[in-house]
Amino acid sequence: MTAKDLSLALIRRHGAVGGNGYAIEYAGPAVRDLEVEARLTLCNMATEFSAMTGMIAPDDRTFAYLAGRRYAPTGVDWDAAVAHWRTLVTDDGARFDREITIAADELAPMVTWGTSPQHAARITDRVPAQAESGANPEAYARALAYMGLEPGIELQSLAISAAFIGSCTNSRISDLRRAAGVLRGRRVAPGVRAICVPGSMAVKRQAEAEGLDRAFLDAGFEWRESGCSMCFYAGGESFGPRERVVSSTNRNFESRQGPQTRTHIASPETVAASAIAGRLADVRNLLA
């Protein structure tokens, strides 16, 4: 389970407006086990839940991540900062306006089937019926028509023409490391255009220093300069009309990655596995 899967599972269960009017604190053992960059993904995608913001209390893992970084305090200033940061936790016995509990060990890798992050399902599932989808009949019918789908179709049967790993949500160095781990020794399926866009120039330099670019290139991915690229269509490059794309971006509304492009959002690992399979795929089958 990745942070992207946790976020999509949350939005699937409680809707794309489930966080409207709230600031969210993510907590619990599954969150504590996440590395800092995965926590950033969760907080980033609070927007897709319509929340005002998302936050996670700092801990020793946070401090280790910050130590020695550019602009981080040093010496006695560092000690004072950490002492203050340790106070930024929820008070014992604090009461929230709303509490949501999700058992992460009962989840599975997620992928969207429609045109909203709430149109998500486990990779092992089928396209849900309207009553199971959480969407109203009009939105459900429009999403299926746009995506070219019907209820009951197995998600893993959907052939893709492109795979995209990029965006501020899921193209950090840790994302690229995990995706590269899936790709090493494997090749992108024939007919699939696969693109990787590092999340920043610093991430690109670090990835190349670690040899991650070779893992992507050897597998058949394009290795691009950092930037938004085809995270969204802004009148420049795009995927083609009705192309089915699996993407690590954070939104999948109509024409997000190009006019009439059909985008399925998922974790970088799921994108990598799908690029290899030539269809939406369960990455666990490659990591077993």
Side-chain angles (χ1 to χ4, degrees), residues 66-242:
L66 293 175
R69 289 181 177 267
R70 189 180 183 186
Y71 304 123
T74 58
V76 295
D77 291 334
W78 170 260
D79 295 337
V82 170
H84 172 63
W85 292 336
R86 289 192 186 279
T87 70
L88 303 179
V89 295
T90 297
D91 295 336
D92 291 337
R95 297 181 64 183
F96 292 84
D97 291 322
R98 183 182 180 191
E99 292 191 33
I100 292 173
T101 301
I102 293 178
D105 58 357
E106 297 176 0
L107 303 178
M110 303 288 289
V111 65
T112 60
W113 52 265
T115 54
S116 166
Q118 78 176 43
H119 298 161
R122 294 174 298 183
I123 188 66
T124 52
D125 286 347
R126 299 172 181 267
V127 176
Q130 187 273 318
E132 303 166 342
S133 69
N136 65 54
E138 181 180 356
Y140 176 79
R142 177 167 177 160
L144 287 193
Y146 181 85
M147 296 297 290
L149 300 175
E150 296 179 358
I153 293 176
E154 291 185 1
L155 292 173
Q156 291 190 81
S157 72
L158 296 177
I160 61 170
S161 56
F164 181 81
I165 294 177
S167 88
C168 58
T169 308
N170 271 138
S171 201
R172 302 181 181 92
I173 189 65
S174 54
D175 298 313
L176 302 187
R177 287 170 182 155
R178 293 195 305 272
V182 176
L183 294 172
R184 285 192 179 95
R186 300 183 171 101
R187 289 284 300 176
V188 171
V192 174
R193 183 185 184 191
I195 299 172
C196 180
V197 179
S200 70
M201 289 303 297
V203 167
K204 184 174 187 287
R205 288 191 296 269
Q206 185 174 355
E208 291 173 351
E210 296 180 14
L212 301 182
D213 58 324
R214 292 310 322 170
F216 283 93
L217 290 167
D218 291 347
F221 267 74
E222 299 175 31
W223 180 255
R224 296 288 193 88
E225 296 297 321
S226 66
C228 289
S229 182
M230 285 189 281
C231 171
F232 66 93
Y233 175 65
E237 186 179 24
S238 68
F239 294 109
R242 290 177 292 282

